[in-house]
Amino acid sequence: MKRAKIGPWIALFLGTLYFIVPLIATFEFSLRMRRGEYSFDAYAVVLADARFQATFGYSTALAFATIVVGVLLVVPTAYWVNLRLPKLRPVIEFITLLPLVIPAIVLVFGYLRIYNSESWLPMTSSERLTDLLLTFGYVTLALPYMYRAVDNGLRAIDVRTLTEAAQSLGAGWPTILFRVILPNVRVAVLSGAFLTFAIVIGEFTLAALLDRPAFGPYLQLIGANRAYEPSALAIIAFGVTWACMGLINVVGRASHGQTPKAP
Amino acid sequence: MTQSASPQALSSRAPGFSLSRVSWDWLGVVPFFLFAILFLILPTAFLVVGAFQDSVGNFTLRNIANLTQPSIVAAYWISIKVSAASAIIGGAVGFLIAYAAIAGGVPGWIRPTLMTFSGVASNFAGVPLAFAFLATLGRTGLVTAILIKYFDFNIYQHGFNLLSFWGLVLTYLYFQISLMILIMAPAIDGLKREWREAATILGATTWQYWRYIALPVLGPSLLGTTLLLFANAFGAIATAYGLTGSSLNIVTILLFAQIRGDVLHDQNLGYALALGMIVITGASNIAYIWLRARSERWQR
């Protein structure tokens, strides 16, 4: 069984070729802006573009807001279900999988119809409220990943004993949640957070249809109008995704090695 | 197992308190359900109900019937073909690569490297992925240029076009293959080495081992994950939009245009279009969940 055959090597070689060549080609293309020689001009142009800075900053802020709301929503719920309502687990798990079933474009279509400016809850009537709606939309998109990460983390610790120990020492619910449970699942929460960041930072559909100045629509706009900048942006986006996934591995390895996988 | 057998919380055992404790537990999940209803259930339900209403709110099946317009059927059909092709090819290739890295007798560092890379590649979708393939196989892309320069072979003069059906499939494969690798790895781990050894001792050929042992065990996860890939591609829009603009008539791009500017000139037909998408992605996801439950029998 341990003898290495030629077949696996061919499969791995062709796979590597398919995955690496586009990255090399994109990088090479991004260096071609100056005629006749390689340069980082395209990166300089992109990074100096005020719209790049504005949209990247906007999406970063939105990603952080999404992570905060997501953690505040998911951690107490998953904790409570583990502690008191284990019978609800299948229902909650089913709901957290729904965003994988309902395409994002359908979801935002519903938002635009329900929360339009003349509805009972006009969340698209001002920019701030639309930002809030977009954040909630991103929390929904990230829900399958965040919930799974946190739930795995909670299952790996003894929630009941920790709770009872904290209670017998006189801790109230906020103390238990934020000073006992949250620190114990921080690896899981961080994994979910980095994955959320990777999803939100370049998201296109929701931001475009809610008409907010996010990084995803900016990428599309540059792609339609420029030659070399899109490649530089693709390399930057790949770097951000790589950083998020790398950080998940780093925090996972730093503790018990529990890394949530994509479902 | 701790949940059913463990002692109750200290305060809850006092007589007379138990009833109030039981009845108030559900309050802890109210925020979650409220969120799910407002931002997941209601928006979807609104579209589903709207698909069965006419413009003044009466029940009708006409929107569903109108989905059979040639342009809408064509959009669904292209979407289904792109999703099926990328799911089947991505599923097969992803499985082969995962199997090669896990059970192919290659050095140990390959597997964690592959898994980390797949985690990145499966999330590297959307507009930047389209840029990467344009820089690779577009008209001025690196691979296109190299083939012309060194092999005197212009793929664009031989029927290839990145902004086409197969171009889109080739691009989708980037995240489809990596997702397949991520999901299939645990299932391949579940193939116990003893089975292979037992089969060999009993005189089975490699073909017989695959035909009667490995494929029946892996079958549900292979099929299920392929269906998941199908749904994954079917709901995608950003990659296609970044690649072809709105020129390729897939159903997500049609829905995008409908949301932006009511190109169908019928709001309720737009809802029916969305309902059709939910039905297709929903059916393949439910089949995936069911098949995964079946395949987990072998992974104890």
Side-chain angles (χ1 to χ4, degrees):
Chain A
M1 194 58 202
K2 259 294 159 209
R3 69 216 136 93
K5 295 184 221 157
I6 187 78
W9 284 109
I10 294 175
L12 287 172
F13 174 75
L14 291 178
T16 310
L17 208 63
Y18 173 78
F19 280 110
I20 299 296
V21 165
L23 297 177
I24 296 172
T26 310
F27 185 61
E28 197 267 350
F29 203 85
S30 73
L31 301 177
R32 275 200 239 167
M33 196 173 196
R34 198 180 297 174
R35 279 208 169 273
E37 60 173 325
Y38 285 147
S39 72
F40 284 96
D41 284 4
Y43 294 88
V45 170
V46 162
L47 292 175
D49 185 353
R51 284 173 308 164
F52 168 80
Q53 296 162 3
T55 55
F56 196 81
Y58 177 85
S59 282
T60 306
L62 218 56
F64 280 119
T66 304
I67 290 166
V68 170
V69 175
V71 169
L72 288 179
L73 185 73
V74 164
V75 173
T77 306
Y79 164 72
W80 197 246
V81 168
N82 267 295
L83 184 70
R84 288 282 172 83
L85 301 166
K87 278 183 192 158
L88 266 187
R89 181 193 293 280
V91 181
I92 304 262
E93 274 184 357
F94 177 75
I95 290 173
T96 61
L97 285 176
L98 278 181
L100 299 178
V101 177
I102 304 163
I105 187 166
V106 172
L107 213 53
V108 69
F109 192 15
Y111 289 179
L112 285 166
R113 285 290 162 272
I114 288 200
Y115 302 120
N116 62 41
S117 42
E118 59 255 30
S119 76
W120 58 282
L121 192 60
M123 288 191 77
T124 52
S125 58
S126 80
E127 290 188 347
R128 287 289 83 75
L129 280 173
T130 312
D131 290 342
L132 194 65
L133 181 60
L134 187 54
T135 306
F136 288 159
Y138 285 160
V139 171
T140 309
L141 292 191
L143 196 59
Y145 309 97
M146 188 59 115
Y147 192 89
R148 184 165 287 225
V150 170
D151 194 46
N152 283 345
L154 284 171
R155 285 203 217 193
I157 63 173
D158 191 341
V159 168
R160 188 171 294 268
T161 305
L162 281 176
T163 306
E164 287 171 7
Q167 277 179 330
S168 63
L169 290 170
W173 287 117
T175 314
I176 295 176
L177 260 179
F178 291 103
R179 301 190 54 190
V180 177
I181 299 299
L182 199 57
N184 272 293
V185 293
R186 65 177 182 282
V187 172
V189 168
L190 281 173
S191 304
F194 289 129
L195 201 52
T196 304
F197 192 90
I199 294 169
V200 171
I201 194 71
E203 202 280 337
F204 170 75
T205 316
L206 262 66
L209 287 172
L210 288 175
D211 206 16
R212 299 302 297 143
F215 191 49
Y218 168 76
L219 286 174
Q220 198 276 325
L221 186 73
I222 293 296
N225 296 307
R226 298 294 183 86
Y228 302 102
E229 288 90 336
S231 296
L233 285 166
I235 293 292
I236 292 171
F238 188 80
V240 171
T241 311
W242 186 278
C244 289
M245 298 299 129
L247 285 169
I248 291 176
N249 279 352
V250 168
V251 294
R253 215 170 292 150
S255 67
H256 314 293
Q258 31 159 323
T259 312
K261 304 237 156 55
Chain B
M1 46 179 150
T2 52
Q3 276 150 2
S4 55
S6 65
Q8 298 297 312
L10 294 173
S11 59
S12 65
R13 268 294 131 195
F17 266 82
S18 62
L19 199 143
S20 62
R21 186 188 69 85
V22 168
S23 49
W24 294 110
D25 270 355
W26 58 270
L27 271 180
V29 290
V30 164
F32 177 83
F33 277 98
L34 205 62
F35 183 90
I37 288 168
L38 277 178
F39 298 105
L40 196 54
I41 313 287
L42 267 186
T44 314
F46 182 88
L47 300 179
V48 172
V49 171
F52 292 100
Q53 287 176 338
D54 60 21
S55 53
V56 290
N58 297 318
F59 174 83
T60 177
L61 287 174
R62 181 180 297 165
N63 302 312
I64 310 296
N66 280 347
L67 285 180
T68 55
Q69 286 176 15
S71 65
I72 295 181
V73 170
Y76 271 113
W77 185 232
I78 294 180
S79 270
I80 288 172
K81 282 196 295 184
V82 167
S83 309
S86 72
I88 291 169
I89 300 170
V93 173
F95 173 72
L96 285 178
I97 294 175
Y99 189 83
I102 292 168
V106 295
W109 59 267
I110 287 184
R111 177 183 175 160
T113 313
L114 179 71
M115 295 319 263
T116 307
F117 186 84
S118 300
V120 178
S122 64
N123 282 294
F124 184 62
V127 184
L129 180 64
F131 293 169
F133 271 81
L134 282 170
T136 310
L137 287 164
R139 281 181 193 278
T140 54
L142 183 67
V143 171
T144 313
I146 285 177
L147 287 174
I148 292 173
K149 190 169 174 188
Y150 294 104
F151 299 94
D152 197 24
F153 185 81
N154 188 343
I155 48 175
Y156 278 83
Q157 284 172 3
H158 290 79
F160 179 83
N161 186 354
L162 188 61
L163 314 185
S164 69
F165 176 83
W166 285 108
L168 195 60
V169 171
L170 195 65
T171 311
Y172 276 13
L173 283 177
Y174 206 82
F175 56 80
Q176 297 283 62
I177 292 175
S178 28
L179 191 57
M180 184 74 178
I181 293 173
L182 281 181
I183 301 178
M184 280 311 287
I188 294 171
D189 277 331
L191 280 182
K192 298 198 178 67
R193 188 188 296 178
E194 293 86 341
W195 298 344
R196 179 79 188 236
E197 287 165 357
T200 313
I201 290 167
L202 291 171
T205 60
T206 303
W207 158 250
Q208 284 170 323
Y209 165 73
W210 278 100
R211 169 66 184 81
Y212 294 106
I213 298 168
L215 281 182
V217 170
L218 288 177
S221 3
L222 275 173
L223 186 60
T225 312
T226 306
L227 285 166
L228 182 77
L229 297 188
F230 177 86
N232 191 34
F234 195 84
I237 170 169
T239 312
Y241 201 80
L243 200 62
T244 67
S246 48
S247 64
L248 199 66
N249 182 32
I250 62 173
V251 68
T252 38
I253 284 180
L254 179 62
L255 185 59
F256 191 86
Q258 165 67 13
I259 297 172
R260 276 238 162 127
D262 194 15
V263 291
L264 300 172
H265 307 294
D266 183 348
Q267 283 294 344
N268 293 82
L269 184 55
Y271 304 154
L273 195 65
L275 174 67
M277 290 189 61
I278 298 173
V279 169
I280 291 174
T281 56
S284 42
N285 269 292
I286 287 165
Y288 161 66
I289 290 166
W290 183 73
L291 285 163
R292 197 182 60 175
R294 272 184 66 109
S295 66
E296 275 168 1
R297 287 189 311 199
W298 298 97
Q299 289 174 22
R300 301 247 162 84

